[in-house]
Amino acid sequence: MPGTLPSGAVQVANIRTLALVGPAAAGKTTLAEALLVQSGAIGAAGSLERGSTVSDYDPLERRMQHSLNASVMHTMHTDTRIHFIDTPGAADFVGQSLPALEAVETAAVVINAATGIEPMAQRMMDYAAERQLDRLIIVNKIDAQGVDLAALLADIQATFGKECLPLNLPDAGGTKVVDCFYNREGHSDFGAVDAAHRALVEQVVEVDAAFVDRYLNDGDVDPSELHAPLEQALREGHLIPVCFVSARTGVGVAELLDVIVKLLPNPTEGNAPDFLNGEGAEAQLMHATPDPEAHVLAHVFKVTVDPYVGKLGILRVHQGTITKDSQLYIGDGRKPFKVGHLFMLQGKEHVEVARAVPGDICAVAKIDELHFDAVLHDAAEDDHIHLKPLPFPVPVHGLAISPKRRGDEQRMWEIMSKLIDEDPCLKIEHVATTNETIVYGLGELHLRMLMDRLREVYKFEVDTRPPRIAYRETITAPAEGHHRHKKQTGGAGQFGEVYLRIEPLPRGTGFEFVDQVKGGTIPGQFIPAVEKGVREVLATGAIAGYPVVDVRVVVYDGKSHTVDSKEIAFATAGRKAFMAAIREARPIVLEPIVNIEITAPDSAMGDITGDLSAKRGLVNGTHNGSVGTMVVKGQAPLSELAGYQSRLNAMTSGQGRYTVALSHYEAVPPNVQQQLTGSFKVHDDE
C-alpha cells in the first residue's frame, strides 16, 4: 500500500526532487506509476483507464483520464528519497504545473516519442530555464510504432540546443536502453555508443579547465570523477540530459531511477530559488541555505481544500527542519501555528512523518490561514521573506455565474473562494457595472472543469452565461428637455414641472448636476428629488439600457404647486425631462476598448495581426519576445474578444497567450448601436 512506504529521516544529500512536466498524453502519470513500481513503493502499476493510478485520484481526473491537478509522490531508491510531482499537461491547467517548479531542483520534461516536441514541452522548458532549474528531457513511448528516435533527438537538439545530449540510447528496437555516460562500449539503435559517450564527457569537462587538460592529454576521463563538473553543467544549463523510456513496458525505468539518484542534483547542488526580503523596490535578493540546523524557511506551493477534510498546505522545505510540534509563522503573521501532524504525500494517501529537512516535500493540514505562495518560518526576523513571484498567465476567459437557488449567493462565494485558493490562475470578482459575478480562467476547459468540480464535489448548482459587455451611453450635442408631471387620483395629487438642459463632457469626466433655478420656481427642498430622477436614468440608460456617462445636467426652471408638489412628482419630472433631452442630444453607445498584448510564435504573426484587424482591432507595434516568439501590442473592442483564447490556440497550436486591460471607451459602429438599441424599452411607471 502507498501509505506504508517507509519515510524515515534521510540526509539532505540523499534527497532528489523533480517535477514531471510537459504536454498532455506524453505519459507522465504512467511514468510516475512505473517509477513507483520499479522502486518498490507500490506492488503493481495502476491504469488511467481504470482510474487506479496513485497520482490521478480525483474523481474528475478518473472520468477525464487526464491529470487536472499536480500530485505529489515519494519513493526510496537505494538510500535516496525521491520526491516527484506529476503535473497536468493541458495549457489550461498551467496554474497547477508552474508552482511545481518552485518545489524541485529538476524539471523533467516528458516528450511523447510518437508526437514529437509539442508546445507545452517548449513552454515548460522556457519556464524551467527562467527559474534556473536543472532540466532533464525524458523521451517516453519509445516502443510506439513507426517512431524515428534519431530524428526526434535531432529535433530536440535543433529546438532546445546542442547541449541536449543522451545519457542512454535505445537498443534492440526500443526494447532496452544502453548507458552512454559510464559506458563507452557497444552499440545502440543509433550506432556505436562511443560517440555519444565522448559528446557527453566533452560537454561536461568544458566547465572545468583542469578536466579539459586531462581529457586532452589522456583522451578520456573516468565519469565517476565528473560528479562536480556534471552538477555545474546541469546548473548552468550547459548540459540538458536526454533519457529514453517506455513507461508502459518498463524499458529504461530502472535506468532512469539510477540517473535520478546518481546524476541529478540534491538540494545542496541545484540553483537555490530566489527569495526576496522586503517589499517593492527595497526588497533584497537572498537565498535559503539547505542546512537542517538553520532556522526554518519553507514555501507553500500548493493548497487543496477538501469539503470533508479541510485545507491542506503542501510545502517544500528550503532551510531548517520541521518537526511535529514545530511552531511556525505564516509570512508576516504575528501568531504562530503548531504543526500537529506532518505528512508526506503519496497521491491521496497521507504518510505521517516525524521530521522534514531541506529538500523534503511535505504537508500540514487544517491550518485555515495557510495560502498559496506563503512562506513558513520560525524566526520573527524572517516575516518579510517571500519567493520571487512566478510569471503566471493572466486569466482573461470569463464566465458569469449565479446560484440556481435565490439566497445562495454567500455560499457560492465561499465555495468559489475555496476552489480559487487551489489554483492561482483562477480569479473571481463582482462587476458592479453589469451587476454580475464573473469567474476568470485560462480557457473554456479550465472553467468547465471548475464548474464540474463545483457540482460534483460541493454539490452546488450554478447558472452560467457569457459575461455582459459593460457598454455605456453618452451624448454628443447639447439639448434641452422639459416635462410636466401631473397626476390626479381623487385625493391629493402629484405635480412637478422641470426644465433642464444637457451638454456633453469630455470622455471619462463622469456626471455633473447644476442647480440654476432662479426665484424659487422649484422650491429648494425638491431639487434633490430632481437629481434623483436624473440619476435613475444615469443608472438604467436612456437608449439601450446601459449607464449614461460624461454629461452635465443644468436645471434652470420649473413650476410647483403648493399642495400637490411632492418629491416623487419632481423625481418623475426630472427623469422624463432628462430622457427627452437625451433623445435630442444625438446619443450614442460606447464600448470598452482594451489594450491587448499577445505573445506567440513568430511564425503565427501574420495570422494574429490579420485576425485582430478583422475584429476591429488595431496593431500598435511588435517586438521580439523569448527565443522564437514575438509580442504584439494593440487595441481591440472587448466585445470582439469573446472566445479569443480558442481562436489564438488554433492560430498558434496552443502556444499563444494574451492579456487585456481596459484602455478607454469609444462609440460603437452604427450597426452595433442599432442592434443594442432595437430591443430596449423605456420603463414607464405612470
Side-chain angles (χ1 to χ4, degrees):
M1 290 291 292
T4 62
L5 182 74
S7 299
V10 298
Q11 299 297 315
V12 174
N14 289 350
I15 295 175
R16 306 289 183 271
T17 61
L18 66 156
L20 301 175
V21 297
K28 300 184 295 296
T29 299
T30 307
L31 179 59
E33 289 291 301
L35 290 169
L36 291 174
V37 170
Q38 183 66 43
S39 58
I42 59 177
S47 84
L48 292 170
E49 293 75 19
R50 294 194 303 272
S52 56
T53 61
V54 172
S55 57
D56 284 0
Y57 56 86
D58 183 272
L60 283 177
E61 291 178 314
R62 290 174 174 172
R63 174 160 62 80
M64 295 288 292
Q65 296 185 12
H66 277 293
S67 298
L68 304 175
N69 306 291
S71 184
V72 179
M73 291 152 282
H74 66 290
T75 190
M76 295 292 295
H77 183 61
T78 60
D79 59 349
T80 300
R81 177 151 64 218
I82 304 169
H83 297 277
F84 53 100
I85 307 173
D86 180 25
T87 66
D92 279 15
F93 302 107
V94 74
Q96 291 286 327
S97 303
L98 275 181
L101 299 181
E102 301 287 57
V104 298
E105 270 70 52
T106 303
V109 180
V110 183
I111 292 175
N112 184 341
T115 55
I117 301 168
E118 298 176 74
M120 195 61 173
Q122 174 77 66
R123 196 168 174 185
M124 297 312 292
M125 285 286 281
D126 291 343
Y127 280 131
E130 188 176 334
R131 300 306 273 191
Q132 296 185 306
L133 295 179
D134 291 21
R135 286 165 287 164
L136 168 70
I137 294 174
I138 301 173
V139 178
N140 190 20
K141 304 188 181 182
I142 61 173
D143 56 328
Q145 279 197 338
V147 297
D148 186 340
L149 297 176
L152 176 57
L153 180 60
D155 243 2
I156 289 170
Q157 292 176 335
T159 304
F160 302 125
K162 293 294 185 183
E163 60 269 24
C164 299
L165 296 173
L167 286 175
N168 55 41
L169 290 169
D171 191 24
T175 58
K176 64 177 183 177
V177 298
V178 293
D179 169 66
C180 50
F181 181 62
Y182 294 103
N183 169 48
R184 61 180 298 174
E185 305 295 333
H187 292 270
S188 72
D189 290 344
F190 287 25
V193 169
D194 183 62
H197 169 80
R198 286 188 173 280
L200 267 173
V201 172
E202 289 172 5
Q203 191 75 7
V204 171
V205 299
E206 280 181 1
V207 302
D208 190 315
F211 279 107
V212 171
D213 291 340
R214 283 182 54 186
Y215 183 76
L216 292 175
N217 291 332
D218 302 341
D220 200 3
V221 178
D222 185 351
S224 62
E225 298 181 54
L226 291 177
H227 184 81
L230 172 69
E231 298 306 327
Q232 182 181 344
L234 292 173
R235 280 194 303 275
E236 295 174 357
H238 190 68
L239 173 65
I240 301 173
V242 180
C243 293
F244 292 87
V245 303
S246 169
R248 184 182 64 85
T249 65
V251 170
V253 174
E255 290 82 355
L256 178 59
L257 277 171
D258 287 339
V259 165
I260 292 169
V261 169
K262 294 178 181 177
L263 303 181
L264 294 189
N266 65 48
T268 69
E269 294 170 328
N271 288 317
D274 290 339
F275 280 91
L276 298 173
N277 192 353
E279 305 297 332
E282 304 300 317
Q284 298 292 317
L285 183 68
M286 62 163 287
H287 294 108
T289 305
D291 177 1
E293 303 302 321
H295 49 89
V296 171
L297 282 178
H299 176 248
V300 178
F301 68 94
K302 180 175 171 63
V303 169
T304 65
V305 184
D306 187 285
Y308 306 107
V309 177
K311 183 176 284 189
L312 186 74
I314 305 171
L315 55 100
R316 157 70 190 259
V317 183
H318 290 282
Q319 179 177 293
T321 299
I322 298 177
T323 62
K324 185 185 174 191
D325 299 332
S326 287
Q327 298 279 336
L328 298 178
Y329 295 91
I330 302 171
D332 58 1
R334 292 289 177 255
K335 184 179 179 182
F337 71 89
K338 179 180 177 182
V339 178
H341 298 278
L342 188 64
F343 303 105
M344 287 185 186
L345 301 180
Q346 196 72 308
K348 69 177 178 181
E349 301 290 337
H350 297 175
V351 183
E352 190 155 3
V353 294
R355 66 198 292 265
V357 298
D360 275 331
I361 297 173
C362 55
V364 292
K366 298 182 179 179
I367 310 297
D368 290 339
E369 295 78 15
L370 275 180
H371 58 87
F372 170 75
D373 213 27
V375 169
L376 308 184
H377 59 93
D378 60 359
E381 64 267 24
D382 293 338
D383 61 355
H384 290 295
I385 292 177
H386 54 97
L387 211 58
K388 187 176 178 181
L390 270 169
F392 286 111
V394 178
V396 292
H397 191 91
L399 194 64
I401 62 172
S402 57
K404 281 192 179 291
R405 293 195 313 174
R406 291 187 63 182
D408 275 353
E409 287 79 9
Q410 181 63 32
R411 182 162 179 253
M412 181 184 76
W413 271 88
E414 290 172 358
I415 296 172
M416 290 300 299
S417 297
K418 291 177 181 178
L419 291 169
I420 286 166
D421 278 348
E422 300 181 354
D423 191 335
C425 288
L426 287 170
K427 182 178 75 171
I428 189 171
E429 67 178 6
H430 182 77
V431 180
T433 52
T434 59
N435 194 29
E436 289 182 313
T437 298
I438 311 291
V439 59
Y440 296 94
L442 298 181
E444 294 174 12
L445 177 62
H446 196 195
L447 293 183
R448 189 165 76 244
M449 290 299 102
L450 178 68
M451 295 302 106
D452 285 352
R453 191 175 299 279
L454 188 65
R455 182 177 60 254
E456 295 182 19
V457 177
Y458 288 90
K459 313 301 181 188
F460 192 85
E461 297 282 345
V462 295
D463 292 321
T464 64
R465 61 186 177 278
R468 298 188 190 103
I469 302 298
Y471 292 107
R472 299 286 186 270
E473 300 175 15
T474 193
I475 59 172
T476 59
E480 297 208 357
H482 159 251
H483 185 77
R484 172 184 284 191
H485 177 72
K486 186 175 183 180
K487 194 172 184 180
Q488 207 71 39
T489 56
Q494 295 180 13
F495 181 85
E497 188 170 2
V498 172
Y499 290 84
L500 55 77
R501 57 177 171 266
I502 63 175
E503 54 193 70
L505 292 175
R507 193 81 72 236
T509 304
F511 167 68
E512 291 182 15
F513 182 84
V514 181
D515 173 15
Q516 289 186 357
V517 174
K518 300 278 194 284
T521 54
I522 300 178
Q525 70 265 30
F526 294 131
I527 294 297
V530 176
E531 182 176 355
K532 178 183 177 183
V534 168
R535 287 187 177 275
E536 286 178 9
V537 179
L538 291 177
T540 60
I543 61 171
Y546 299 102
V548 180
V549 296
D550 304 334
V551 61
R552 176 184 289 122
V553 176
V554 180
V555 179
Y556 64 89
D557 201 1
K559 290 183 180 178
S560 64
H561 188 278
T562 54
V563 175
D564 292 344
S565 285
K566 299 177 176 64
E567 287 187 0
I568 188 173
F570 276 100
T572 302
R575 175 165 56 83
K576 294 198 171 185
F578 188 31
M579 291 284 287
I582 287 177
R583 284 193 288 269
E584 302 300 320
R586 298 203 298 270
I588 59 172
V589 177
L590 303 173
E591 64 179 340
I593 305 297
V594 295
N595 293 322
I596 184 167
E597 184 173 299
I598 306 161
T599 303
D602 47 20
S603 59
M605 284 302 104
D607 290 339
I608 288 170
T609 55
D611 178 76
L612 207 56
S613 298
K615 298 296 182 181
R616 299 192 286 125
L618 177 69
V619 176
N620 294 333
T622 62
H623 65 266
N624 291 326
S626 56
V627 178
T629 68
M630 292 284 286
V631 178
V632 179
K633 291 188 175 183
Q635 292 184 333
L638 182 61
S639 61
E640 297 286 356
L641 296 179
Y644 186 68
Q645 186 63 59
S646 298
R647 297 209 308 275
L648 188 60
N649 287 344
M651 290 184 284
T652 64
S653 300
Q655 297 182 70
R657 53 194 185 276
Y658 74 103
T659 60
V660 294
L662 179 65
S663 171
H664 62 283
Y665 274 81
E666 282 184 6
V668 301
N671 63 314
V672 177
Q673 176 151 327
Q674 190 172 0
Q675 293 171 10
L676 294 173
T677 59
S679 59
F680 179 68
K681 293 181 180 179
V682 178
H683 175 68
D684 192 340
D685 57 3
E686 287 194 79

